[in-house]
Amino acid sequence: ERGVFFSLNVTCVDDLCRKIVKSKYGVIRIPKLELELEQPRGYLTAVEGILQETHDNITERMREALPQMAENEDVRTQVTQIQGFLMKLQELIDIETSFVVELDDPSGNSLSL
């Protein structure tokens, strides 16, 4: 079997609607954010869904850390860094800048539609 690699240049709302079928072996990368998503499950979603789910998951984890902020300077610094990352992620969701989404699957079972 051969692996597959897809690279999608996202420049408009239509690109956010592009579907991605990711097998459990696939890895999604967004180089502009230095983001790599390796989830041990397969799924079908749109590019926008990947971005929004990532944003929501990080936001939720950050909320869980907020009670510790008052007690820990390191946590405050991390939260500030995460907030900056979330702002960059939101810029991609809003198509304020173009970016590339990569799908790499050594099993060959992923697909970009």
Side-chain angles (χ1 to χ4, degrees):
E1 259 180 72
R2 292 184 175 205
V4 294
F5 178 83
F6 299 99
S7 180
L8 173 64
N9 190 22
V10 180
T11 60
C12 64
V13 173
D14 288 343
D15 294 333
L16 285 178
C17 296
R18 294 278 303 268
K19 301 291 185 208
I20 291 180
V21 179
K22 187 196 89 58
S23 81
K24 66 181 181 178
Y25 304 105
V27 176
I28 294 174
R29 292 183 190 93
I30 302 174
K32 189 166 238 171
L33 296 176
E34 298 180 26
L35 178 65
E36 185 169 296
L37 303 170
E38 289 186 65
Q39 298 173 328
R41 64 180 173 89
Y43 54 81
L44 165 67
T45 189
V47 171
E48 183 178 23
I50 294 166
L51 299 174
Q52 195 60 56
E53 181 180 3
T54 302
H55 190 283
D56 294 347
N57 287 340
I58 294 171
T59 299
E60 181 60 32
R61 288 182 184 220
M62 191 174 67
R63 281 191 194 121
E64 293 169 3
L66 287 178
Q68 300 171 17
M69 278 181 57
E71 305 165 8
N72 190 322
E73 178 66 32
D74 290 337
V75 173
R76 283 194 295 269
T77 300
Q78 289 173 354
V79 168
T80 300
Q81 291 171 343
I82 292 168
Q83 287 172 330
F85 179 84
L86 288 172
M87 287 174 38
K88 290 177 187 176
L89 183 55
Q90 189 63 51
E91 288 174 3
L92 300 189
I93 293 169
D94 295 339
I95 311 284
E96 292 180 20
T97 182
S98 63
F99 62 99
V100 173
V101 176
E102 300 174 345
L103 174 58
D104 191 5
D105 186 348
S107 75
N109 294 322
S110 294
L111 180 64
S112 175
L113 306 171

